[in-house]
Amino acid sequence: GSEGEGYIGGTKEVVSDIVYTVWAPSIIVVMCVVLWLGSVRPLMAGPSLIAAIRPQASGISGNLESFRKVLDMDFAKPEIREQLMQVAISVQGAEVDLKAKKDFVDLAQAEFEKQLTEVPGDARYELFYGVFLSRLRLYDEALVHLKRAVELSPKKQTIAFELASTYLGTGQYAEALPLLKYTYELDTKY
């Protein structure tokens, strides 16, 4: 009887050793990776984005470099891209060299075109990009994206209104007026 008990007790010890030496460390490693990807990286992206938006001691080129770094983090890209577009528009009115202005616009356009490719058929991103292009006076390109946004979300007044505003801004009154009427009729409280 005592040999069988020793054998069973030995098996429990082996299983216990495997759990403590293999499974437990593996679970800890997996939990650390999940924590890193789910919490630490997002927490790092926030301050980096704030740094990209704030005035830099190195000037506007420092902001551009900060945006590039935060985009390399590969986290929260839609939000980063939206902020990049806002800064690129703001830079256009600032007294900085033309190359810095162009570099900001080029980066913002390239990044938002990636966004549209990564999330096709999203009216919100089409709207953001259309508004961005319109603010840069790239009206033909803006109209393409604003029209697409209206097609994707025809009952959103703000989208239709932005398209109508761009038509008005470019003197395309024949296109703007019916759209403004339609926009008004969607919700007369607007």
Side-chain angles (χ1 to χ4, degrees), residues 22-38:
V22 177
W23 288 104
S26 298
I27 290 171
I28 290 171
V29 168
V30 168
M31 288 175 55
C32 288
V33 168
V34 168
L35 181 64
W36 171 258
L37 294 175

Side-chain angles (χ1 to χ4, degrees), residues 1 15 56 61 95 164 178:
V15 169
Q56 303 284 319
S61 61
E95 292 191 24

Side-chain angles (χ1 to χ4, degrees), residues 38-57:
S39 297
V40 175
R41 282 183 54 217
L43 290 173
M44 290 173 53
S48 297
L49 178 56
I50 291 169
I53 296 169
R54 285 189 179 152
Q56 303 284 319

Side-chain angles (χ1 to χ4, degrees), residues 154-181:
K155 301 221 181 274
K156 292 280 187 179
Q157 274 187 311
T158 54
I159 296 173
F161 184 75
E162 193 62 47
L163 176 58
S165 295
T166 302
Y167 278 139
L168 287 172
T170 58
Q172 298 178 53
Y173 305 113
E175 290 83 1
L177 294 177
L179 189 56
L180 286 169
K181 182 178 186 257

Side-chain angles (χ1 to χ4, degrees), residues 55-77:
Q56 303 284 319
S58 58
I60 200 74
S61 61
N63 292 88
L64 188 62
E65 189 55 36
S66 292
F67 268 110
R68 286 189 175 117
K69 285 180 183 175
V70 75
L71 284 164
D72 285 342
M73 288 183 177
D74 201 30
F75 187 81
K77 290 224 176 171

Side-chain angles (χ1 to χ4, degrees), residues 84-99:
L84 174 59
M85 285 193 316
Q86 292 300 318
V87 172
I89 291 169
S90 297
V91 166
Q92 300 311 303
E95 292 191 24
V96 296
D97 66 79
L98 291 177
K99 183 180 179 334

